[in-house]
Amino acid sequence: MVEFLTWVEDSALGEMMRGLGVWSYGLFNLAHILGIATLFGSMLIFDLRLLGLWRRIPLRSVAAPTLPLAVAGFVLAAGSGTCMIATNAIDYSDNPFLLIKFPAIALGVLNAIVVAKLPAWQAVTATDAPAQREPRALAISGGLSLAFWLTAVASGRMIGYW
Ligand code: HEM
């Protein structure tokens, strides 16, 4: 872990970030927060729909705006976060919240990939008819997704307090 973080800090990205000037870290942090807000806000609506809220709105009508926004937010958060961590990566070497945050992000992404492959997802999104009840597999995935993203946000916020 320390070797990897040393490599990240010594990288060309790390050097570039440290040379950018006094406002740069704050601006990347702002981009990070905007990315997180976009990702988490979109996933909150989508996951609550999977859990059975707003059943009269077809699932694919909820997915159409929320999923592309979630992907855009993720790309912004991951890009800005990589730049931020490269600035002073070694400082995070004994930070336990890093070891909670990154597995939670990986599980959140993995869960989204699994949901898209579920037969229940394919069946429900093939129609605009309102569902009486969503398949249990989709509700479970929605609950898991909320737990993973909440853990990522909470542990990300805690990193700075260690
Ligand atoms: C490759 C992906 C990511 C990297 C490398 C990364 C890295 C970082 C770094 C270095 C910080 C600053 C920690 C500090 O010293 O205070 C941070 C803050 C934070 N990150 Fe990330 N992050 C990534 C993705 C995400 C994602 C996907 C989320 C949420 C779903 C997230 C949530 C947070 C939160 C809530 C903060 C605290 C922001 C603040 O209060 O200023 N991060 N991240």
Side-chain angles (χ1 to χ4, degrees):
M1 177 82 166
V2 184
E3 288 81 12
F4 176 67
L5 291 173
T6 306
W7 175 80
V8 171
E9 185 165 327
D10 289 346
S11 67
L13 180 65
E15 270 183 37
M16 186 200 81
M17 284 298 294
R18 288 187 295 278
L20 276 182
V22 71
W23 287 99
S24 59
Y25 191 90
L27 291 175
F28 278 90
N29 201 4
L30 174 63
H32 201 59
I33 292 170
L34 290 176
I36 296 159
T38 307
L39 165 65
F40 187 75
S42 307
M43 289 313 289
L44 180 64
I45 294 172
F46 179 69
D47 290 336
L48 288 176
R49 176 63 187 81
L50 285 183
L51 280 166
L53 266 80
W54 314 299
R55 251 189 213 121
R56 279 186 309 153
I57 308 174
L59 191 50
R60 71 177 180 185
S61 300
V62 176
T66 52
L67 294 187
L69 270 178
V71 171
F74 179 82
V75 170
L76 185 58
S80 53
T82 305
C83 293
M84 284 158 66
I85 209 165
T87 310
N88 56 338
I90 299 168
D91 292 355
Y92 297 108
S93 55
D94 62 348
N95 197 315
F97 291 108
L98 225 61
L99 301 176
I100 301 173
K101 175 176 167 170
F102 289 113
I105 293 172
L107 288 170
V109 171
L110 190 71
N111 184 65
I113 294 169
V114 170
V115 173
K117 301 225 175 295
L118 288 176
W121 168 260
Q122 319 265 350
V124 167
T125 53
T127 169
D128 268 342
Q132 293 304 311
R133 202 178 164 81
E134 299 312 345
R136 184 181 286 262
L138 294 187
I140 292 172
S141 310
L144 284 174
S145 174
L146 267 187
F148 294 145
W149 292 118
L150 262 177
T151 305
V153 172
S155 53
R157 190 64 194 96
M158 288 303 123
I159 288 173
Y161 290 102
W162 180 255

